[in-house]
Amino acid sequence: MILGIGTDLCNIERIERTLARFGDRFRNRVFTPEEQARAERRRYVAGTYAKRWAAKEACSKALGTGLRMGIAWRDMAVTNLPTGQPVMHLTGWAGDRLSSMTPKGYKAVVHVTLTDDHPWAQAFVVIEALPATGGTP
């Protein structure tokens, strides 16, 4: 069953200006060290940050809260599998919120997809509940 859906569209040039203006203060407030390391290895740094920003916004919407109620930017993080597929990780308050919205006998799976076409970056997040035992709860 679907527990939540979120999407966000982010202007890459806006993130580029924010990085130029606030630098590490912005990076450290919003992105985990792993997210920063991946972005800084990329040819187009701002585009990578923008996609992750959009994923965090989309995830907060899928959680049904937006960026309020105690959620922190770094409570939501995007990593990549060796295949390149993005994976969303929730910790802190975001993880607690995910647990509270997941019905008993189910496990939550957070699906995320990212794309960009300058000057836009976009993310979609779908939170799905699957039976925890593989059968009917």
Side-chain angles (χ1 to χ4, degrees):
M1 86 181 70
I2 302 299
L3 300 178
I5 300 172
T7 185
D8 192 66
L9 183 66
C10 177
N11 186 284
I12 296 169
E13 293 169 356
R14 177 177 161 238
I15 296 298
E16 195 167 42
R17 288 189 304 270
T18 302
L19 287 165
R21 183 172 178 195
F22 298 105
D24 284 343
R25 189 170 130 207
F26 171 67
R27 283 181 193 88
N28 293 332
R29 179 174 178 239
V30 176
F31 302 100
T32 65
E34 189 172 351
E35 288 175 306
Q36 291 179 49
R38 180 168 181 88
E40 297 298 327
R41 287 192 309 264
R42 305 299 295 221
R43 183 174 56 90
Y44 194 46
V45 172
T48 302
Y49 279 123
K51 286 187 281 190
R52 277 151 176 73
W53 172 280
K56 292 167 187 273
E57 287 275 6
C59 186
S60 72
K61 293 170 186 174
L63 289 169
T65 64
L67 286 163
R68 58 184 174 85
M69 296 175 60
I71 200 166
W73 287 103
R74 291 170 45 133
D75 286 349
M76 302 167 287
V78 178
T79 62
N80 294 81
L81 297 176
T83 60
Q85 177 184 353
V87 178
M88 197 92 199
H89 303 276
L90 304 180
T91 59
W93 190 91
D96 293 345
R97 171 67 180 155
L98 180 63
S99 293
S100 73
M101 65 190 283
T102 304
K104 185 176 180 178
Y106 286 82
K107 64 179 179 179
V109 178
V110 181
H111 304 278
V112 60
T113 186
L114 310 172
T115 191
D116 66 290
D117 186 8
H118 193 345
W120 301 107
Q122 187 172 31
F124 289 94
V125 171
V126 175
I127 301 174
E128 178 182 23
L130 298 173
T133 60
T136 305

